[in-house]
């Protein structure tokens, strides 16, 4: 008679196996699992006795998967992620509507996503949103991460990416002050300090090329790692910046910064909703993706018509 216990190893052994395969190190696996090295080592040995196959080989003091181990890890890892994600969803969703674990870049979250979330809550009140620290937003092997909003050209390992917004870029300047340089044409940019975002170091170079501005020192000037800081630096008069228009609509309306040149500038980079293929049919993600894409639909077209 078939006995599940004979062919299904205990879950804790499988978790130790997957963690060790991921890090190639028992010590790092033990740290990630909050166990001792001895405990993880014993669990790996017990799993190998259970299946009767060597799962690892030691090469230059580092554990590497055997051929059998590679096949087994490839099959087991997505199943463990699904089990952990389903359990986490059940625990955190409360009323059973489901939970969505999401990561977003800080400026995009504060200035674009969060102001729109009341509409999502109204449309999908049964879904609980949980924000994961953005530093963890690239690790799609995590059970507590369904999707991330990332900034780039749309290519991240292990993730599908849906473009949202952000390619439409505004050149922003501080409000005009008495005695400040004039900014009426692209060549006038040379009178100002240029501010930069560390993720887009070539932004001013591309802008100067498209606007045929010669002799501009496109790589000089202060650098910032967040658009929020960059916008604030412009507002207090430190210089000019190229910023996704979706992040400065409220600042432009309030007059804390201005966009003095009547021009459109497009970048290759933008904000993307990213998620692993394993989460494609996760109901909370399906609902969130439908909602956020609707929020973005035609937004840059409407902006360019202003």
């Amino acid at each position: 008679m078939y006995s599940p216990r004979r062919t299904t190893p205990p879950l804790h052994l499988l978790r130790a196996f997957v963690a060790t395969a991921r890090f190639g190190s028992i010590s790092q696996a033990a740290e990630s699992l909050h166990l001792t090295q001895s405990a993880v080592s014993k669990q790996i040995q017990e799993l190998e006795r259970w299946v009767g196959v060597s799962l690892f080989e030691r090469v230059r003091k580092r554990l590497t998967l055997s051929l059998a181990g590679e096949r087994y890890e490839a099959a087991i890892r997505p199943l463990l992620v699904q089990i952990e994600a389903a359990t986490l969803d059940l625990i955190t969703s409360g009323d059973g509507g489901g939970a969505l674990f999401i990561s977003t870049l800080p400026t995009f979250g504060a200035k674009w996503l969060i102001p729109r979330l009341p509409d999502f809550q109204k449309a999908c009140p049964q879904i609980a949103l949980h924000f994961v620290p953005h530093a963890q937003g690239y690790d799609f092997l995590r059970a507590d991460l369904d999707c991330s909003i990332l900034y780039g050209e749309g290519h991240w390992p292990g993730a599908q990416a849906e473009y949202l917004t952000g390619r439409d870029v505004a050149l922003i300047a501080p409000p005009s002050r008495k005695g400040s340089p004039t900014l009426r044409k692209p060549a006038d940019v040379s009178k100002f300090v240029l501010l930069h975002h560390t993720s887009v170091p070539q932004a001013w170079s591309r802008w100067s090329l498209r606007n045929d501005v010669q002799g501009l020192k496109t790589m000089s000037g202060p650098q910032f790692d967040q658009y929020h800081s960059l916008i604030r630096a412009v507002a207090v008069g430190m210089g000019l910046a190229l910023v996704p228009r979706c992040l400065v609509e409220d600042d432009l309306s309030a007059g804390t910064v201005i966009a003095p040149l009547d021009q459109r500038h497009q970048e290759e980079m933008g904000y993307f909703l990213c998620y692993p293929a394993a989460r494609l049919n996760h109901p909370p993600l399906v609902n969130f993706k439908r909602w956020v894409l609707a929020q973005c639909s035609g937004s840059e077209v409407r902006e360019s018509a202003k």
Side-chain angles (χ1 to χ4, degrees):
M1 180 180 293
Y2 170 75
S3 171
R5 193 177 187 284
R6 291 179 181 173
T7 57
T8 306
L11 194 60
H12 70 284
L13 302 186
L14 297 177
R15 291 181 70 241
F17 165 62
V18 169
T20 304
R22 178 184 178 189
F23 293 108
S25 163
I26 285 179
S27 62
Q28 291 184 49
E31 183 177 352
S32 71
L33 296 170
H34 305 289
L35 297 172
T36 64
Q37 294 183 40
S38 175
V40 172
S41 180
K42 289 178 180 178
Q43 289 173 2
I44 295 298
Q45 293 171 18
E46 184 177 349
L47 179 61
E48 288 181 322
R49 286 196 299 271
W50 188 289
V51 297
V53 176
S54 294
L55 300 173
F56 290 97
E57 297 173 353
R58 185 171 292 278
V59 178
R60 296 178 183 175
K61 298 183 179 181
R62 181 177 176 84
L63 288 177
T64 60
L65 288 168
S66 65
L67 291 177
E70 286 183 2
R71 293 195 303 271
Y72 194 49
E73 193 272 343
I76 290 298
R77 175 172 42 80
L79 298 178
L80 280 180
V81 170
Q82 289 181 37
I83 291 171
E84 293 179 0
T87 304
L88 197 58
D89 179 74
L90 181 65
I91 293 170
T92 60
S93 61
D95 62 1
L100 183 71
F101 289 81
I102 181 172
S103 171
T104 182
L105 293 163
T107 304
F108 187 83
K111 297 183 74 67
W112 192 94
L113 180 60
I114 290 175
R116 290 168 169 79
L117 283 183
D119 182 77
F120 177 72
Q121 288 181 315
K122 182 178 179 181
C124 303
Q126 76 284 6
I127 296 175
L129 285 178
H130 301 289
F131 282 87
V132 176
H134 77 95
Q136 301 171 10
Y138 297 85
D139 187 0
F140 292 110
L141 295 178
R142 295 177 62 93
D144 61 345
L145 183 64
D146 297 310
C147 61
S148 293
I149 295 177
L150 302 176
Y151 185 74
E153 295 181 351
H155 307 289
W156 287 273
Q160 300 188 31
E162 306 263 1
Y163 174 67
L164 299 178
T165 186
R167 288 175 176 155
D168 186 14
V169 174
L171 188 159
I172 60 171
S176 299
R177 296 181 176 91
K178 186 177 180 180
S180 61
T182 57
L183 182 54
R184 298 191 179 95
K185 58 185 184 298
D188 291 338
V189 166
S190 61
K191 304 173 186 177
F192 295 81
V193 174
L194 304 185
L195 309 180
H196 307 264
H197 194 289
T198 54
S199 295
V200 200
Q202 300 297 326
W204 280 112
S205 298
R206 290 192 289 266
W207 180 91
S208 64
L209 201 61
R210 292 175 184 177
N211 288 275
D212 195 26
V213 177
Q214 305 295 324
L216 194 64
K217 295 180 179 179
T218 58
M219 301 303 291
S220 66
Q223 298 186 6
F224 300 83
D225 67 346
Q226 291 190 22
Y227 275 118
H228 176 78
S229 301
L230 192 58
I231 296 166
R232 183 63 181 153
V234 172
V236 299
M238 287 185 64
L240 309 180
L242 296 168
V243 177
R245 188 172 290 271
C246 63
L247 302 181
V248 290
E249 292 173 351
D250 56 343
D251 299 275
L252 292 169
S253 297
T256 54
V257 299
I258 60 174
L261 299 182
D262 184 19
Q263 61 177 207
R264 314 303 299 184
H265 176 63
Q266 294 289 314
E267 276 284 356
E268 294 297 321
M269 300 176 72
Y271 292 98
F272 290 79
L273 177 67
C274 304
Y275 51 88
R279 300 287 209 284
L280 179 62
N281 296 315
H282 181 45
L285 176 57
V286 170
N287 283 289
F288 180 78
K289 183 172 75 168
R290 183 187 303 119
W291 171 83
V292 76
L293 290 176
Q295 292 288 312
C296 296
S297 178
S299 61
E300 292 183 351
V301 174
R302 289 193 297 272
E303 275 297 317
S304 63
K306 289 184 179 179

